[in-house]
């Protein structure tokens, strides 16, 4: 802990070191892969943030009368908000098997095609069912990419840059949410859907040029390509023999264990600790109210007399600034300290509407938005990473669906009671992280996975 405090006290020196590492790792292949990951995270954020600023305009276009709004609006919009998380559950069920079967890059192809189809279904919807179908397809894609994105970045990035690269990529999720919040105040909801498809359309041609994960190549027996891909990622003049040897040796060690139980292998005693850490960390943001805040931000502001435009713009700015700060600090202060800091902030959220929502999204951007995914992508060996991805995805999507579907009803029941429930979950999460979550900063993936498997 003393080391963490010392590191936090000299951010300028740490930032200089971080920039130096980024410069050294900036090969064309790595930059392209990072760009794809960042654009994918941005598209993710656009989808998550879409329903909040468009709630009123969508309801008007559906021609609901004022008399019907109090009952039908609640039910219909709960369906529109929660159907995304139904898709998340479906996507989570197949994400692990799909990424293990066809590889990381081909799975990115699939998710971005689904993103585009979903956006155009929403933009040109003439009936409610097509609107909901678009959100369902987007949810399936998010359910796959929510775990795939961090896994791909952590598997290709150098160890000293892994946290910053993954966090910076995930920062674009917050940027996507913020941009949609801001644009939603001035752009019609159909036009906003068309704009939302742009990041995925930009990604598609880049996918012809990005490298496959060297760790996935080792897993499927394509050992000869591992060193070649690492050379592309680290630079032609870099000596990657040690890194390639470590990857191949650890993968061979895992294969020699000879356990063919597939998905059930994840439930062995030696994976119990890592499974618990991953599932709980991934579910905590959702159970702490993330989906409720994201989908029903406008309702929160309106119910307390706050201008929704002012609220959306304020939260957008704070979330982006906090995300940038978290990116700089993740490989400096470490994952664990930022998670703990995040929970200290969140426990103050029920106080005032604008301040609470702004602080919530600020704290989310600082740590809880990216770090659970970073840790979950680091701690599982390649032989159970697909199964672990499915479990983490299910934990996140099911908890997200429960909160998204129930939030509007809970909010009508008792605003104070709703936020006190989220605060209680946040407090429990703080204790869990403080007692059980170890630091992974500065270690190779193979070292981390050996640490968690016992």
């Amino acid at each position: 802990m003393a080391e963490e405090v010392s590191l936090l006290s000299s951010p300028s020196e740490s930032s200089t070191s971080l920039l130096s590492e980024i410069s050294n790792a900036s090969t064309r292949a790595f930059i392209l892969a990072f760009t794809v990951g960042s654009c994918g995270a941005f598209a993710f954020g656009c989808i998550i943030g879409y329903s909040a600023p468009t709630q009123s305009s969508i309801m008007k276009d559906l021609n609901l009368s004022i008399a019907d709004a109090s009952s039908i609006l609640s039910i219909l919009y709960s369906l529109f908000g929660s159907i995304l998380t139904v898709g998340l559950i479906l996507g989570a069920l197949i994400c692990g098997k799909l990424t293990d079967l066809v590889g990381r890059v081909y799975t990115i192809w699939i998710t971005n095609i689904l993103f585009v189809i979903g956006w155009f279904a929403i933009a040109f919807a003439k009936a409610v069912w097509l609107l909901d179908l678009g959100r369902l397809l987007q949810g399936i894609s998010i359910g796959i990419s929510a775990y795939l994105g961090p896994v791909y970045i952590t598997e290709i990035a150098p160890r000293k840059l892994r946290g910053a690269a993954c966090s910076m990529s995930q920062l674009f999720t917050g940027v996507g949410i913020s941009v949609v919040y801001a644009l939603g105040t001035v752009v019609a909801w159909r036009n906003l859907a068309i704009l939302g498809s742009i990041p995925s359309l930009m990604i598609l041609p880049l996918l012809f040029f990005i490298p496959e994960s060297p760790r996935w190549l080792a897993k499927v027996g394509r050992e000869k390509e591992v060193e070649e891909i690492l050379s592309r990622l680290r630079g032609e003049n870099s000596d990657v023999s040690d890194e390639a040897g470590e990857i191949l040796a650890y993968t061979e060690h895992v294969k020699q264990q000879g356990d063919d139980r597939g998905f059930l292998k994840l439930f062995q005693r030696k994976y119990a600790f890592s499974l618990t850490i991953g599932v709980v960390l991934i579910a905590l943001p959702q159970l702490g109210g993330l989906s409720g805040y994201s989908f029903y931000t406008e309702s929160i502001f309106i119910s307390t007399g706050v201008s929704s435009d002012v609220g959306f713009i304020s939260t957008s700015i704070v979330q982006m600034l906090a995300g940038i700060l978290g990116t700089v600090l993740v490989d400096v202060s470490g994952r664990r300290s930022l998670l703990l800091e995040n929970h200290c902030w969140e426990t103050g959220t029920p106080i005032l509407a604008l301040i609470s929502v702004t602080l919530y999204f600020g704290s989310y951007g600082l740590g809880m938005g990216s770090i659970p995914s970073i840790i979950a992508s680091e701690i599982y060996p390649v032989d159970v990473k697909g199964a672990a991805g499915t479990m983490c995805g299910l934990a996140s999507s099911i908890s997200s669906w429960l909160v998204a579907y129930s939030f509007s009803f809970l909010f009508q029941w008792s605003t104070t009671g709703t936020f006190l429930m989220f605060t209680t979950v946040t407090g429990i999460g703080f204790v869990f992280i403080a007692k059980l979550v170890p630091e992974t900063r500065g270690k190779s993936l193979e070292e981390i996975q050996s640490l968690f498997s016992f």
Side-chain angles (χ1 to χ4, degrees):
M1 182 62 71
E3 180 186 357
E4 292 174 1
V5 173
S6 174
L7 286 168
L8 274 169
S9 65
S10 55
S12 59
E13 180 182 343
S14 303
S15 300
T16 302
S17 175
L18 176 60
L19 291 173
S20 174
E21 290 289 343
I22 292 175
S23 176
N24 292 336
S26 295
T27 64
R28 182 178 300 177
F30 182 77
I31 290 173
L32 281 175
F34 175 77
T35 301
V36 166
S38 298
C39 286
F42 183 85
F44 188 149
C46 290
I47 293 169
I48 294 295
Y50 178 77
S51 63
T54 58
Q55 176 178 353
S56 298
S57 57
I58 290 176
M59 290 300 123
K60 288 179 182 178
D61 281 2
L62 291 174
N63 295 318
L64 286 174
S65 68
I66 300 297
D68 293 336
S70 60
S71 59
I72 298 178
L73 172 63
S74 179
I75 296 172
L76 185 58
Y77 211 74
S78 287
L79 176 62
F80 182 71
S82 62
I83 200 168
L84 182 72
T85 51
V86 173
L88 284 171
I89 295 172
L90 296 176
L93 284 170
I94 64 174
C95 73
K97 191 67 175 179
L98 184 63
T99 54
D100 280 350
L101 183 64
V102 304
R104 308 334 187 197
V105 175
Y106 281 121
T107 307
I108 297 174
W109 272 101
I110 294 170
T111 58
N112 280 277
I113 290 171
L114 289 178
F115 277 152
V116 173
I117 294 172
W119 278 124
F120 281 108
I122 293 171
F124 298 103
K126 299 297 183 182
V128 176
W129 70 265
L130 191 56
L131 195 72
D132 288 341
L133 177 62
R135 290 293 275 180
L136 180 66
L137 292 175
Q138 290 179 334
I140 293 172
S141 184
I142 289 177
I144 298 169
S145 61
Y147 191 71
L148 169 64
V151 164
Y152 179 64
I153 295 296
T154 57
E155 288 184 344
I156 66 172
R159 74 172 69 180
K160 291 183 179 179
L161 191 59
R162 188 178 62 242
C166 192
S167 184
M168 190 177 294
S169 175
Q170 294 302 296
L171 166 65
F172 282 91
T173 299
V175 173
I177 294 173
S178 300
V179 168
V180 168
Y181 274 12
L183 288 177
T185 63
V186 294
V187 177
W189 65 273
R190 292 185 187 274
N191 293 334
L192 190 61
I194 293 174
L195 292 175
S197 68
I198 293 175
S200 294
L201 291 172
M202 292 175 57
I203 289 173
L204 292 175
L206 297 180
L207 295 178
F208 289 104
F209 306 103
I210 65 172
E212 183 55 83
S213 161
R215 288 173 171 84
W216 181 80
L217 292 173
K219 176 182 182 294
V220 297
R222 294 162 60 179
E223 292 89 352
K224 294 181 179 179
E225 298 177 54
V226 171
E227 192 163 336
E228 176 189 343
I229 294 296
L230 285 173
S231 295
R232 288 179 59 194
L233 290 168
R234 306 291 182 258
E236 296 297 333
N237 297 324
S238 300
D239 183 4
V240 297
S241 56
D242 289 343
E243 184 177 5
E246 184 179 17
I247 292 171
L248 292 171
Y250 187 78
T251 304
E252 184 60 29
H253 167 72
V254 170
K255 288 180 178 179
Q256 286 178 354
Q257 294 181 3
D259 194 323
D260 297 323
R261 285 183 286 177
F263 185 85
L264 295 178
K265 183 177 182 180
L266 180 63
F267 297 94
Q268 295 180 73
R269 183 176 180 180
K270 64 179 179 178
Y271 298 126
F273 182 55
S274 59
L275 181 61
T276 302
I277 295 294
V279 167
V280 173
L281 283 182
I282 289 290
L284 269 177
Q286 308 299 339
L287 295 176
L290 175 61
S291 294
Y293 280 107
S294 297
F295 296 152
Y296 302 102
T297 309
E298 185 176 26
S299 299
I300 296 172
F301 287 140
I302 291 174
S303 69
T304 54
V306 177
S307 167
S308 59
D309 289 353
V310 171
F312 284 133
I313 293 171
S314 300
T315 54
S316 298
I317 293 172
V318 170
Q319 185 169 354
M320 282 194 287
L321 293 176
I324 292 169
L325 179 61
T327 297
V328 173
L329 293 178
V330 69
D331 277 328
V332 177
S333 64
R335 284 64 153 156
R336 192 171 178 273
S337 59
L338 285 181
L339 285 175
L340 293 173
E341 219 171 294
N342 171 82
H343 281 280
C344 287
W345 283 30
E346 283 185 8
T347 53
T349 56
I351 303 173
L352 295 171
L354 180 59
I355 295 176
S356 69
V357 174
T358 302
L359 283 180
Y360 181 90
F361 281 112
S363 63
Y364 176 78
L366 180 64
M368 212 63 183
S370 61
I371 295 179
S373 295
I374 295 174
I375 293 178
S377 65
E378 291 175 328
I379 62 179
Y380 299 109
V382 69
D383 60 322
V384 296
K385 188 163 283 188
T390 294
M391 286 298 299
C392 290
L394 285 173
S396 176
S397 54
I398 291 173
S399 56
S400 176
W401 179 81
L402 288 172
V403 173
Y405 186 77
S406 63
F407 187 86
S408 63
F409 303 112
L410 290 172
F411 199 66
Q412 292 174 12
W413 161 67
S414 171
T415 54
T416 302
T418 300
F419 293 124
L420 284 176
M421 288 170 57
F422 294 148
T423 302
T424 301
V425 173
T426 299
I428 294 171
F430 180 90
V431 174
F432 177 85
I433 293 167
K435 296 294 185 182
L436 294 176
V437 178
E439 184 56 70
T440 61
R441 171 175 55 96
K443 298 180 176 67
S444 72
L445 292 183
E446 287 69 32
E447 289 172 341
I448 294 169
Q449 290 153 15
S450 296
L451 174 68
F452 277 84
S453 300
F454 54 83

